[in-house]
Amino acid sequence: MRSPVSLLCCLLTISGLTLCVPAATATPLNIETINLRMDATDAAVLVRKDPHDKSSFAVTLIDGANQLPGRIKTMGSSSQLMDKRSFYVKLAKGSKWQGQRRLSLNGMGSDPTQMRNRLVWELFHELGVPGPQTHYRRIELNGKPQGLYLQLEWIEGKMFERYGLGSDGELYHPQDSHFCGDLGKMAKYDIDDCWFKYSPPFDDFSSLQKLIDEINATPIAEFDRFMERNFDTESVVNWLAVNVLVANGDTYNKNYFLYRSSTTGKWSVIPWDYDLTFGRTFDTYLHYPESVFNDRFEYFYPPELGAYNPLKVKTLSNPALLARFRARLAHLIGLRREEGKNGFAIFSPEKMTARIETLKAQLLPEVRNDPYLGGNIDTFLENVDAIEHFVLARTGYLTTAIFGNVPWNPEVVYWHPEESPRPLPYPDKLQATAMGSGTVAVVANGYGYLLAVVRPDDPQEEISVAAESQFGQAPRLVPPGVSPDNCIQRTWYVTIRTEKPQINGRLTLEYLQENSVLHELGQITDEAALKLWRYEAGQWQKIDASVNTLANTLTVDRLLLTSERTMRYVACTDRSEVTGEK
C-alpha cells in the first residue's frame, strides 16, 4: 500500500465532500527490554496456568547491575485464553523501574497488529484525556524472548496529579467478571461485587452509590446541568466520541475507570482496554471464546453500540450534550473544527493512515522476532490493512449516516438474536455518486455503507464515480463454468467519468461478513481463493485482485478504467480461466 506519510496534503472525497488534511507524523519508538528472572518451574506454570488462577510468583527484574525483587502474575480477562499472556509485576517496597513500582505489561495476544491499544491512547492523549502513557517493551523471561509487549502506566495517584486532578481521589473500576459496572440502578445493590475500589483502600462505596442514584434519578432534560455539577464533562464526551470512532462497545459495563478528584470534587471517566476495536466484532451465534475472538468485521454500528449504561444513554439523549458529542465527532473526523479544541481531523483517513503506516514500519522487525506471532508477516500486514480500511469505511459511515441528509437519531434498540436472525442492515440495492480527486469513496447516504473506492494513479485526476451494489443474493450473471453458489452474494457496478477516455487506478470493493449468520459468503469456505471478474462489452475478464479476508475487501491496482462505461463485477472462488458471454 502506498504510504501518504511524505505527502503535505492527502485528498479524500467521501460522497462529494473533499477533505485535505496535513499528514501526521509518529514519534520513533524507543523499545527497551525488560529482563525477568524466576524459578524455572514457576515460569512454566505462569504461562500455562488456568486463566482464573490469580496466584503470583516470586520474580526478579534485572536492571543493569541492580536486581529488583517482586511478584508476577498473569492479568486480563478474555485475553488470558491467548497463548501470549499479559503480566502484572509488582516490585518490592523501595524498588522501582523507571519510576514505576507496578508494571502492567499487555501481551496484545488478541491483536495481531500489536497497535490497537497504542493507536487509541494516542488519540486520547491528543485530546488531553487523563490516561496512562504507553511504551513498547521486549520481555525476556529467564533469558527466553517473550516477544513485544505494551506497557501501560499504572492507573494511580501520580497519573492523576499530572493532569491537575490530585493524587488522593477515589478510584473505582468495574469487576471484569461480573459485567455489572454499568451505573444502572441494580449495580448499587451488589456494589462490592460489581466494582473494585483502588483508593482510598477501604470499603466505603458511598460516593459511588450516591453517584449511581443521581445518574438514574436525573431527568434527561436536566442531565447537562447535572453533568456540569458532577463530572468533568469533557472526559465523558471524549470517551464516548473515541469509542464511537473505533467502534468500541465492550466498555460500558466493565472496561473503564471512574475517578473522583479531591481537587475539583468532580468525576472523570478514564478509558481502558481497546484491543477488540477497529472492526473486531462480537459474534452472537458462536460460543465463547469464539464469540469474542473471531475474524468477523464491521464498521457500521451506530453510536449507541454496546451495553446499556445510563451515563451513555442520557448523554446521547440530552439535546445540549448530544450537540456537544456531535460537534466533537465532526471535529475528530475533520468535517468541522471546534474552536479551541485539540485533535482536529485526528481520525481522518489521511492522518490515521499516516500514523498506522509509520507504526507498521517500526513494528515490522519486532513482529518478525516475536515467538508468539511466529514471524507471520502476512498475517500482520493483512490485519494492519484491515485497520486502515476500517478507518476509511468508518469515517464514510459517520460522515453520511450521522451527518448526512438522513440525520442519526439516537435510540437504544435491543435486538434478541434468539428470536430470529437479523436481516441485512440495508436494502437489496444501494447506489451513490461521488466526485473529486485523490481517493474517492462512494458511500450510500443515509446508510453509510461503502459501495466502492477509486484512487487514480494520478492523484490530481478529477473523476466522478457512480457505484451500485446488489446485496444478499447470488449474482444473476456469472462467468462460464462458474457456479453462482461459489460467488459472493453481491454484484457491483462501477462507472467512472473523467476528461480522459481511460485512466489507471486502484479499485476496492467490499462484501459483508458481520457474523457467522449475517454474511454474503454463501457456500464459500476459502475467502483467500476469491477471484474478481469484470464483465465488459460482452466479455468476462478475470482480474488479479488482492483479497483481505479480515476487512472483506477485494483490491485491484493499476486497473484500466474506461470513462462513461459501466462495469459489472463479481467475486467467485472458481479457478477456471474462461472468457466469453454467458
Side-chain angles (χ1 to χ4, degrees):
M1 174 177 290
R2 179 183 66 97
S3 171
V5 174
S6 62
L7 300 182
L8 293 177
C9 179
C10 306
L11 293 178
L12 168 68
T13 300
I14 298 176
S15 290
L17 178 66
T18 300
L19 306 176
C20 182
V21 186
T25 58
T27 303
L29 301 179
N30 179 23
I31 304 177
E32 297 189 46
T33 298
I34 296 178
N35 190 345
L36 302 174
R37 298 290 174 87
M38 58 189 300
D39 177 83
T41 301
D42 289 349
V45 173
L46 176 70
V47 297
R48 292 178 176 86
K49 67 187 178 78
D50 183 274
H52 302 291
D53 182 349
K54 305 298 183 183
S55 59
S56 66
F57 303 89
V59 70
T60 300
L61 191 155
I62 308 300
D63 183 19
N66 299 318
Q67 297 189 14
L68 309 178
R71 305 287 296 181
I72 186 172
K73 64 179 180 179
T74 56
M75 66 176 190
S77 181
S78 298
S79 62
Q80 293 224 45
L81 297 174
M82 300 286 103
D83 290 336
K84 188 179 181 184
R85 301 290 183 91
S86 296
F87 300 131
Y88 166 62
V89 176
K90 183 177 182 181
L91 299 176
K93 286 185 178 180
S95 296
K96 290 186 178 181
W97 185 78
Q98 298 198 356
Q100 294 277 305
R101 184 185 169 203
R102 295 177 175 89
L103 306 182
S104 174
L105 304 171
N106 190 330
M108 303 175 286
S110 60
D111 179 14
T113 71
Q114 308 289 280
M115 64 174 68
R116 282 181 167 89
N117 259 307
R118 169 78 175 209
L119 287 170
V120 175
W121 275 113
E122 286 182 350
L123 297 178
F124 278 128
H125 290 155
E126 287 201 36
L127 292 172
V129 173
Q133 296 296 319
T134 64
H135 302 279
Y136 282 108
R137 307 296 189 198
R138 302 181 193 94
I139 303 298
E140 288 191 359
L141 184 57
N142 291 341
K144 182 179 179 181
Q146 301 298 303
L148 188 68
Y149 279 71
L150 187 69
Q151 181 188 0
L152 284 85
E153 179 186 9
W154 193 251
I155 307 293
E156 60 182 354
K158 280 198 316 180
M159 188 196 81
F160 295 112
E161 185 72 38
R162 193 168 68 239
Y163 287 93
L165 299 176
S167 62
D168 57 348
E170 295 181 56
L171 179 62
Y172 300 88
H173 184 266
Q175 300 275 21
D176 275 1
S177 57
H178 289 199
F179 301 96
C180 56
D182 56 10
L183 300 174
K185 293 179 182 179
M186 299 304 295
K188 71 172 188 175
Y189 296 112
D190 297 309
I191 200 159
D192 53 348
D193 287 331
C194 293
W195 292 83
F196 183 82
K197 187 174 184 180
Y198 282 94
S199 64
F202 53 85
D203 294 332
D204 179 7
F205 288 84
S206 57
S207 294
L208 181 58
Q209 287 175 316
K210 181 175 182 291
L211 177 70
I212 292 172
D213 283 339
E214 291 178 344
I215 287 176
N216 287 277
T218 302
I220 289 173
E222 301 174 14
F223 205 68
D224 55 325
R225 295 186 290 276
F226 165 81
M227 288 285 286
E228 290 302 319
R229 292 193 304 270
N230 294 280
F231 271 90
D232 173 3
T233 308
E234 283 290 280
S235 78
V236 177
V237 171
N238 284 325
W239 179 53
L240 294 176
V242 173
N243 284 342
V244 168
L245 289 178
V246 302
N248 181 36
D250 182 36
T251 183
Y252 297 112
N253 58 5
K254 60 187 184 78
N255 285 327
Y256 65 98
F257 291 83
L258 281 176
Y259 184 72
R260 185 167 183 258
S261 169
S262 59
T263 302
T264 67
K266 293 186 177 184
W267 296 86
S268 294
V269 174
I270 312 301
W272 191 251
D273 196 0
Y274 286 86
D275 58 328
L276 298 175
T277 54
F278 287 92
R280 300 291 295 273
T281 183
F282 184 85
D283 194 331
T284 309
Y285 300 97
L286 297 178
H287 294 295
Y288 181 82
E290 289 81 7
S291 57
V292 176
F293 303 115
N294 57 69
D295 291 337
R296 311 298 182 246
F297 184 87
E298 58 71 30
Y299 60 82
F300 39 76
Y301 287 162
E304 65 269 20
L305 163 71
Y308 176 84
N309 182 308
L311 178 62
K312 172 186 69 171
V313 172
K314 291 188 175 184
T315 298
L316 295 180
S317 301
N318 175 274
L321 293 173
L322 175 60
R324 238 167 121 168
F325 165 80
R326 287 171 59 88
R328 188 62 41 82
L329 269 188
H331 177 80
L332 296 178
I333 64 179
L335 286 178
R336 291 184 293 275
R337 184 187 293 272
E338 278 188 285
E339 292 300 323
K341 301 298 181 183
N342 295 329
F344 176 66
I346 58 174
F347 201 78
S348 65
E350 301 82 11
K351 282 196 171 183
M352 284 300 294
T353 299
R355 193 188 297 269
I356 292 167
E357 286 289 314
T358 302
L359 195 54
K360 178 177 76 174
Q362 295 179 89
L363 291 179
L364 202 56
E366 305 300 324
V367 172
R368 287 196 176 97
N369 295 323
D370 192 310
Y372 289 95
L373 298 177
N376 195 333
I377 301 303
D378 290 341
T379 298
F380 169 73
L381 294 176
E382 184 177 35
N383 276 268
V384 171
D385 186 66
I387 287 183
E388 293 184 358
H389 180 72
F390 171 85
V391 173
L392 173 63
R394 185 67 174 166
T395 305
Y397 172 82
L398 294 171
T399 300
T400 58
I402 308 304
F403 298 103
N405 58 15
V406 184
W408 164 71
N409 182 29
E411 294 179 358
V412 179
V413 178
Y414 292 99
W415 163 74
H416 299 284
E418 64 274 9
E419 296 176 1
S420 63
R422 184 158 70 95
L424 288 173
Y426 38 59
D428 59 4
K429 182 173 73 173
L430 286 173
Q431 54 190 12
T433 302
M435 300 178 61
S437 59
T439 299
V440 178
V442 185
V443 182
N445 203 5
Y447 292 92
Y449 302 110
L450 191 62
L451 303 182
V453 182
V454 177
R455 192 191 71 197
D457 288 352
D458 179 359
Q460 304 303 316
E461 188 79 49
E462 290 282 343
I463 62 171
S464 169
V465 182
E468 176 183 315
S469 288
Q470 293 180 344
F471 304 102
Q473 54 184 310
R476 291 186 296 105
L477 189 64
V478 296
V482 174
S483 169
D485 293 336
N486 292 334
C487 298
I488 293 293
Q489 295 178 339
R490 182 182 293 210
T491 302
W492 301 269
Y493 300 88
V494 180
T495 308
I496 72 154
R497 292 177 175 86
T498 179
E499 293 182 355
K500 298 177 182 178
Q502 292 180 320
I503 63 169
N504 285 306
R506 164 180 285 188
L507 171 68
T508 298
L509 305 171
E510 68 172 27
Y511 55 93
L512 177 75
Q513 191 186 13
E514 183 183 357
N515 56 50
S516 51
V517 171
L518 187 60
H519 61 79
E520 295 175 331
L521 296 179
Q523 298 182 16
I524 295 170
T525 57
D526 183 9
E527 295 173 67
L530 281 169
K531 302 296 181 183
L532 189 65
W533 295 80
R534 179 168 71 179
Y535 187 71
E536 178 183 5
Q539 299 288 318
W540 282 105
Q541 175 190 6
K542 184 182 286 188
I543 302 170
D544 186 18
S546 60
V547 182
N548 189 310
T549 62
L550 301 171
N552 308 318
T553 58
L554 300 106
T555 299
V556 187
D557 284 310
R558 296 199 56 79
L559 180 65
L560 183 64
L561 299 167
T562 302
S563 183
E564 304 285 350
R565 180 176 293 174
T566 299
M567 307 291 188
R568 177 197 296 255
Y569 296 90
V570 298
C572 310
T573 59
D574 298 74
R575 300 178 179 275
S576 54
E577 299 283 350
V578 293
T579 58
E581 184 175 359
K582 181 175 175 67

